[in-house]
Amino acid sequence: MGHKEFLTEAVRLATEAVERGWGGPFGAVITRDGEIVARGQNRVLLTGDPTAHAEVEAIREAARRLTPHAPTISAEHRDEGTLACVPRPEGSDDPLPRRARMLKGCALYVSGAPCPMCMSAAYWARLDAVYFSCGFEATREIGFDDAFQYEDFQKPLDERRIRIEQIHPELGATAYAAWSRKPDRHPY
Ligand SMILES: [Zn+2]
């Protein structure tokens, strides 16, 4: 399977989301070694969850399937960091010699250009590539305008659409200190 087949599946998922009334026309697949390992589709209308974008759904499914040994949150397993690590790539300016693999080695195919949340999720997931079909302009034309979000991020905090300001930095510092003190902290 290649680019076109993967994108075709993403578009099928997108169309299904529309036809069933689950959400906007957005579908996604994640691939590794030429195979689909996860699928996602927009289900914002179905769930009422504004983060239920196709890309996020696909990343979550891929993470569940590709990191089956990730620790679950429970009293007994709180401390077992078992995410697989990979060495820092040659020439990387990453300060850590090793980091969690996450979805390194995978690619994301989406029916439409990703919003800032989904693109950010792609960075956190360490995806190798993101391929989209419909562009930013076409997405805006059907009523999904996220260009202002990309623009807002570039403004100083006090000029943004949503109020964001730092308060009581000393409170959060105690959690940061707990992380820095932890000798076996997992380098994700
Ligand atoms: Zn999105």
Side-chain angles (χ1 to χ4, degrees):
M1 288 179 83
H3 282 327
K4 191 166 183 186
E5 285 79 11
F6 296 141
L7 209 47
T8 298
E9 174 62 3
V11 171
R12 185 192 69 75
L13 291 161
T15 309
E16 183 183 58
V18 174
E19 289 172 351
R20 300 201 176 191
W22 290 344
F26 307 104
V29 299
I30 289 177
T31 66
R32 188 171 74 168
D33 299 331
E35 285 182 21
I36 293 175
V37 294
R39 290 171 170 80
Q41 58 193 160
N42 188 293
R43 291 184 174 172
V44 169
L45 294 175
L46 180 69
T47 61
D49 176 354
T51 69
H53 288 196
E55 301 94 318
V56 170
E57 301 283 294
I59 286 170
R60 287 181 175 160
E61 189 190 318
R64 277 194 297 271
R65 293 189 57 188
L66 300 179
T67 57
H69 304 299
T72 50
I73 298 174
S74 71
E76 306 88 72
H77 296 106
R78 218 168 23 205
D79 251 342
E80 293 175 23
T82 53
L83 291 181
C85 278
V86 289
R88 173 174 54 199
E90 188 120 2
S92 160
D93 56 5
D94 191 329
L96 295 176
R98 290 165 64 77
R99 275 193 188 274
R101 171 187 293 277
M102 300 299 183
L103 301 182
K104 201 163 182 40
C106 298
L108 175 68
Y109 292 79
V110 208
S111 58
C115 75
M117 173 181 73
C118 292
M119 198 55 222
S120 187
Y123 283 108
W124 285 116
R126 302 206 178 94
L127 290 167
D128 287 8
V130 175
Y131 303 103
F132 61 89
S133 178
C134 297
F136 292 97
E137 184 61 22
T139 307
R140 189 187 63 76
E141 279 172 8
I142 60 160
F144 296 92
D145 182 10
D146 47 33
F148 79 87
Q149 296 176 13
Y150 279 107
E151 289 162 10
D152 217 43
F153 282 151
Q154 297 176 32
K155 294 180 182 168
L157 292 192
D158 60 358
E159 291 176 22
R160 296 203 188 167
R161 288 201 187 196
I162 293 180
R163 183 186 188 91
I164 171 170
E165 63 174 305
Q166 185 178 26
I167 56 170
H168 301 297
E170 74 284 2
L171 296 180
T174 59
Y176 280 20
W179 171 259
S180 299
R181 268 200 311 271
K182 190 174 165 56
D184 60 343
R185 59 184 182 269
H186 189 278
Y188 78 88

